[in-house]
Amino acid sequence: LLPLLTLVLVNVVSTKDASTRLTRFLLSRHEPSAPPDDQVIVEYESQLIHIIALEEKSQTVKVLLHVTEVWHDATLRWNESDFEGVSETWLPSENVWIPDIIAFNMLQRVDVLSAVRSTVSIRPDGRVSFSYPQIVTFMCAIQIADFPFDAQKCTLEIASWGYSADKLRLRPVKHSGTLLQHYQENDEWALTNLSVDVALFSHEDNVVTEVRLGLFLQRKPLYFISALLLPSYIICILSVAGLFARFSTRDERQERFSLGVTATLTLAVLSLVVTEKVPHSSDDIPFLVLYFHFNTVLVTLATILTTVSMRISEWRGDTFKSKLLRRPHRDFRRLADYMDKLMCIFFIIILTIPFAYMTYRCFVLSTVF
């Protein structure tokens, strides 16, 4: 037993000594500020972990990514037999040349491992692998015309800042199953697709290879339907019912007008909530804002038409000099009641149609996502 234990200890010490010798050997041959002599092919993989936020007003997207970059460097090769069969080693990232790959359309980048000493993995054939997480905030043009049923496409444009395509070429990993294997869903946005394309891009007189990571996002509208659409519909229905109810067809003109004005102001406030959520654009009007405007116009029209009903209800016919045109007062009141019922039914139907349509769209999106 003692000889066997001694042999194990010797192997451990020998392997540890081999790792130290290998590190010194590689650092003596490698220059961190110099790229490999030949063209560098970088296999680039960017796994989407989480969509942190999509800010409509600032038109930015913040995402958490796990990036893996793999390339070959001839100055980091070794013979395994010379180092006790060591098949993999690790070096500090600051001691190894690393491609200057960034997102061209980013506004901010947070290195999650900034407080940790990151390392790169190296194989005997010179294969270098560098993995790191990062939080990237990048620009995205937000389309608001169909809000809150809008779908967005946001593209992260990734390339080398200083090396042209002749020196450094990116080869992206395009399998979506690999890129989304650790993805965690966002509460407000559903990721419908993730595309990866590569193209040539001209930058500062250099033609570089650019990887375009496309995020296809669909908004989950349930919150806006329950918080804005449903209250607006209830307010409009109650306003119409109050304006044309039979018990209010007497001399209560002031109260009926107050009800209509209050409903209109409430709809204006709800519309303001939506406009504060989306970008201030002169090209498109959000669909939900158009819905609020539609309701405002209808309630305003109903408030105006209620004056006609009240005038007919108060009409006694003796205002005309001709006795042939005189009618009992009760006949005009019945006519006013009939008009109230007809207009009440008409406005409720008109208000219900767009509400039912938007509710149906919300239901369809909820079942899909």
Side-chain angles (χ1 to χ4, degrees), residues 7-286:
L7 180 60
V8 172
L9 291 176
V10 170
N11 289 335
V12 171
V13 174
S14 177
T15 303
K16 182 178 180 180
D17 181 64
S19 297
T20 302
R21 289 190 295 110
L22 177 59
T23 299
R24 293 173 180 173
F25 171 76
L26 295 176
L27 292 179
S28 66
R29 298 182 56 196
H30 181 72
E31 174 55 49
S33 60
D37 294 333
D38 300 328
Q39 184 187 48
V40 183
I41 306 297
V42 180
E43 297 180 6
Y44 186 86
E45 179 184 50
S46 183
Q47 295 186 20
L48 179 62
I49 306 301
H50 184 57
I51 301 173
I52 300 175
L54 191 154
E55 299 293 340
E56 290 90 344
K57 292 199 66 174
S58 60
Q59 303 196 53
T60 60
V61 181
K62 180 184 291 186
V63 295
L64 173 61
L65 302 173
H66 184 272
V67 180
T68 301
E69 302 170 7
V70 178
W71 67 95
H72 286 78
D73 193 329
T75 63
L76 295 174
R77 296 176 181 172
W78 74 89
N79 192 337
E80 294 182 50
S81 59
D82 296 338
F83 298 93
E84 306 295 337
V86 176
S87 60
E88 185 177 12
T89 189
W90 294 265
L91 293 178
S93 58
E94 60 267 18
N95 293 334
V96 178
W97 177 85
I98 295 177
D100 58 342
I101 299 175
I102 65 169
F104 272 32
N105 60 336
M106 73 175 182
L107 298 177
Q108 185 180 20
R109 172 183 172 181
V110 178
D111 186 3
V112 181
L113 298 180
S114 59
V116 181
R117 187 181 184 184
S118 59
T119 60
V120 296
S121 172
I122 307 175
R123 297 292 180 88
D125 60 350
R127 180 181 183 272
V128 184
S129 178
F130 182 42
S131 299
Y132 56 93
Q134 63 176 354
I135 298 175
V136 179
T137 302
F138 62 98
M139 297 179 291
C140 178
I142 304 298
Q143 306 299 324
I144 63 172
D146 205 27
F147 178 88
F149 307 105
D150 52 317
Q152 307 294 339
K153 179 184 178 182
C154 301
T155 303
L156 186 60
E157 302 168 355
I158 303 165
S160 170
W161 181 261
Y163 296 102
S164 65
D166 296 333
K167 181 60 181 177
L168 190 148
R169 184 173 293 271
L170 295 180
R171 182 183 297 166
V173 175
K174 297 185 177 182
H175 193 273
S176 60
T178 303
L179 301 180
L180 295 175
Q181 60 181 343
H182 301 298
Y183 176 70
Q184 299 179 7
E185 292 187 0
N186 183 277
D187 293 335
E188 184 178 355
W189 294 92
L191 181 67
T192 59
N193 190 22
L194 180 66
S195 65
V196 180
D197 299 312
V198 61
L200 295 178
F201 176 73
S202 180
H203 165 64
E204 294 187 354
D205 298 330
N206 284 333
V207 178
V208 299
T209 55
E210 181 182 72
V211 174
R212 297 172 181 173
L213 186 66
L215 281 67
F216 294 81
L217 306 174
Q218 174 65 56
R219 189 190 300 273
K220 301 176 183 178
L222 181 59
Y223 168 77
F224 298 97
I225 298 299
S226 59
L228 296 176
L229 184 67
L230 183 59
S232 171
Y233 175 73
I234 294 176
I235 291 171
C236 292
I237 293 298
L238 292 178
S239 300
V240 169
L243 287 171
F244 297 111
R246 289 188 61 186
F247 61 82
S248 62
T249 56
R250 299 180 182 178
D251 300 330
E252 298 126 351
R253 183 179 304 178
Q254 182 177 356
E255 289 76 6
R256 297 176 73 173
F257 267 101
S258 298
L259 177 62
V261 172
T262 302
T264 303
L265 291 177
T266 304
L267 293 173
V269 172
L270 292 177
S271 178
L272 182 62
V273 172
V274 177
T275 56
E276 289 299 322
K277 173 70 175 177
V278 298
H280 296 169
S281 172
S282 299
D283 299 327
D284 299 302
I285 300 177

